[in-house]
Amino acid sequence: MSLVFKPRIIELILKQICNKHKLSFNIFADGWIFEISNKHKTIFIWGYNFPINNATSSKICDDKAGLAQILLHHNVPCFVHEYFIRGNCTDKQLLTCFKKYKRDVVVKPNFGTTGFDTEHINDNESFLKHCHLILNKHGTLAISPFYDYCDEFRIVLYKQKPYIVYKKQRAPNNWKHNIGNGNKIIPIHDFNKHIDIINLAIKATKLIDINFCSVDIAIVNNKPLIVEINSGVMLEQYAKGNITQREQAYKLYELAILELFS
C-alpha cells in the first residue's frame, strides 16, 4: 500500500492551471512527478523542475562547488566552495582545507537542498566526524568558509526577468537561512530598491544559461554574494503567506506552462 501524502501547493496550483486551460493532468511518484498534456504535446515536471532549463544548466546549479568555480572564474561574486569525493581524499587534505579557512567553516553535501546535513563547525574533532558522515552518506562533500551575515534574499527569475523577490528573516539563534527552519519570508515589492542584487542574479543566470530558477544572495560586509542557484522553483512557503503571494506563484507557474505549450 502506498503512503498518502498531503498534496504540495505546486500540485494544487498546477491542477488549477490545467483545468483553466483544458490540459490533461496526471500525478506519479506520490505527487513528485506531474504529467501535463494536450493533443499535441506532453511535458513532465519533476519536483519543482520544469522542462524549460537545459539538463547541463540544471546539473551545474545542483553542484555547489562546480557552480562556485564557474562564477568565480567569470568574476561573479559568490560563496567559495571546495569539493571532496569519497575514496579520493584524506583526513590530512580535509584538515588542510579546515586550517585554510581559519577553522571556521560550513560543511555540507555538495549536492542537496534545504540545508540537510549542513553544519557550521569550528573544532577539529567535529569537523572530521561530520566530513566522514557526509562522505559516507552522500559520496561528495563541499566545504566553505563561514560567512557571518544577517540578510539573505531570494530572487525568482523567468528568462532573466525577476518575478518574485523576498528577504529571508532568520529565526533567533538560527544561523541558517533556509525557509522552513522557522525563518520568515519578507516580500520585496519595490525591486528598484534592490537593483544591485537583482542585476547580480541576472548576470549569474545568463552566464550558466538557466531560464527558470531562484537565486539566493547574501549581503556580506555590505557586498552581495551568490549563495546558490536553485534550478527547481519551489514556492511552497511563499504561497502560504497570503492570497496575493499565492496568486503570484500561480501566475508564474502559469506563465511557464503556457509558454511550454505555445
Side-chain angles (χ1 to χ4, degrees):
M1 181 183 295
S2 297
L3 295 174
V4 177
F5 293 94
K6 183 178 180 181
R8 293 178 292 149
I9 286 179
I10 188 174
E11 178 182 326
L12 303 176
I13 289 175
L14 291 177
K15 279 183 179 178
Q16 288 180 291
I17 293 168
C18 290
N19 288 336
K20 177 181 176 181
H21 297 283
K22 296 180 171 56
L23 296 167
S24 175
F25 183 69
N26 289 308
I27 304 167
F28 303 99
D30 294 315
W32 195 248
I33 300 173
F34 307 116
E35 177 189 62
I36 300 175
S37 60
N38 60 16
K39 292 181 180 180
H40 309 288
K41 185 177 182 179
T42 298
I43 68 162
F44 292 92
I45 295 165
W46 185 89
Y48 299 94
N49 291 269
F50 286 64
I52 293 168
N53 299 321
N54 69 69
T56 300
S57 297
S58 294
K59 287 292 186 182
I60 289 171
C61 289
D62 293 341
D63 183 343
K64 295 180 179 67
L67 173 64
Q69 288 180 21
I70 291 169
L71 294 176
L72 291 170
H73 178 77
H74 290 276
N75 298 312
V76 179
C78 68
F79 279 19
V80 173
H81 287 84
E82 299 209 18
Y83 176 77
F84 297 89
I85 188 168
R86 183 175 58 209
N88 198 34
C89 65
T90 64
D91 286 358
K92 183 178 179 180
Q93 289 171 319
L94 292 169
L95 287 169
T96 297
C97 182
F98 190 44
K99 293 174 185 176
K100 177 180 176 180
Y101 297 119
K102 300 178 182 180
R103 293 183 170 84
D104 193 14
V105 300
V106 174
V107 178
K108 66 189 82 170
N110 190 57
F111 303 93
T113 59
T114 66
F116 290 136
D117 289 332
T118 299
E119 295 292 341
H120 173 207
I121 296 174
N122 51 26
D123 70 274
N124 284 22
E125 184 178 351
S126 297
F127 171 74
L128 285 176
K129 182 179 179 180
H130 199 66
C131 285
H132 293 159
L133 183 151
I134 292 175
L135 287 169
N136 289 330
K137 186 174 180 180
H138 300 275
T140 60
L141 167 72
I143 298 173
S144 66
F146 176 70
Y147 295 88
D148 190 10
Y149 66 97
C150 292
D151 292 344
E152 182 173 314
F153 297 84
R154 173 162 290 183
I155 301 93
V156 183
L157 303 108
Y158 183 79
K159 295 194 171 179
Q160 285 80 52
K161 180 180 177 181
Y163 281 86
I164 293 172
V165 180
Y166 61 83
K167 180 180 175 180
K168 302 178 184 182
Q169 186 178 73
R170 288 187 310 185
N173 302 317
N174 186 5
W175 67 271
K176 296 181 181 178
H177 286 77
N178 305 86
I179 297 302
N181 287 337
N183 300 326
K184 294 183 179 180
I185 290 172
I186 310 297
I188 303 296
H189 302 294
D190 187 352
F191 291 1
N192 290 326
K193 289 184 178 180
H194 299 277
I195 198 67
D196 288 347
I197 62 170
I198 290 172
N199 284 340
L200 178 59
I202 292 170
K203 182 178 181 180
T205 56
K206 282 183 177 179
L207 173 63
I208 64 169
D209 190 29
I210 191 151
N211 291 311
F212 195 26
C213 65
S214 64
V215 182
D216 290 342
I217 296 179
I219 308 300
V220 182
N221 298 324
N222 297 316
K223 294 180 180 179
L225 298 178
I226 291 177
V227 180
E228 63 183 0
I229 302 177
N230 305 286
S231 60
V233 179
M234 183 172 69
L235 297 171
E236 301 290 306
Q237 296 299 324
Y238 185 83
K240 290 178 183 177
N242 54 50
I243 293 175
T244 299
Q245 288 170 208
R246 189 184 177 99
E247 287 176 351
Q248 284 181 290
Y250 177 96
K251 289 178 181 177
L252 185 54
Y253 286 144
E254 183 181 41
L255 173 66
I257 294 298
L258 293 183
E259 184 150 335
L260 284 164
F261 282 93
S262 63

